[in-house]
């Protein structure tokens, strides 16, 4: 839910992965319910979710795949974005 937060908040998708990761970090700090290591893993995954061409850690890859799936579910008739279609197989 947090991976596109800056796009929703600002209405501007420019550098949204990095900006959303900063906003997510602020939210997690305010909640004070999660350990620093877990927060860092999630924030890192958010920051990397638009780097579809690279293969990162397992959590990063799950978020990337979920993002691609969400785009497809919202508009199944629309051709996939070039970066989504180029996702490397990670299995």
């Amino acid at each position: 839910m947090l991976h596109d937060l800056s796009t929703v908040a600002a209405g501007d998708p420019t550098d949204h992965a990095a900006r959303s990761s900063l906003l997510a970090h602020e939210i997690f700090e305010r909640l004070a319910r999660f350990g620093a290591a877990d927060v860092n893993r999630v924030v890192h995954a958010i920051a990397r979710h638009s780097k579809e061409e690279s293969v990162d850690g397992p959590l990063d890859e799950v978020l990337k795949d979920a993002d691609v799936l969400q785009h497809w579910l919202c508009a199944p008739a629309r051709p996939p974005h070039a970066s989504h279609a180029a996702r490397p197989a990670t299995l």
Side-chain angles (χ1 to χ4, degrees):
M1 290 176 51
L2 300 174
H3 75 284
D4 287 337
L5 186 60
S6 74
T7 300
V8 174
D12 178 10
T14 306
D15 199 24
H16 79 283
R19 293 185 310 129
S20 291
S21 70
L22 295 174
L23 290 172
H25 193 269
E26 290 175 15
I27 290 169
F28 284 124
E29 281 187 338
R30 277 186 262 153
L31 292 174
R33 293 184 182 151
F34 304 96
D38 290 332
V39 169
N40 288 335
R41 280 192 289 273
V42 171
V43 168
H44 182 266
I46 292 170
R48 302 282 305 158
H49 87 273
S50 291
K51 307 261 188 245
E52 292 97 348
E53 72 285 351
S54 66
V55 176
D56 297 295
L59 183 61
D60 304 72
E61 294 308 303
V62 167
L63 180 53
K64 291 176 193 180
D65 289 342
D67 190 37
V68 171
L69 179 61
Q70 181 265 329
H71 283 272
W72 181 81
L73 289 171
C74 288
R78 185 181 311 155
H81 187 275
S83 65
H84 291 174
R87 284 280 294 136
T90 57
L91 294 178

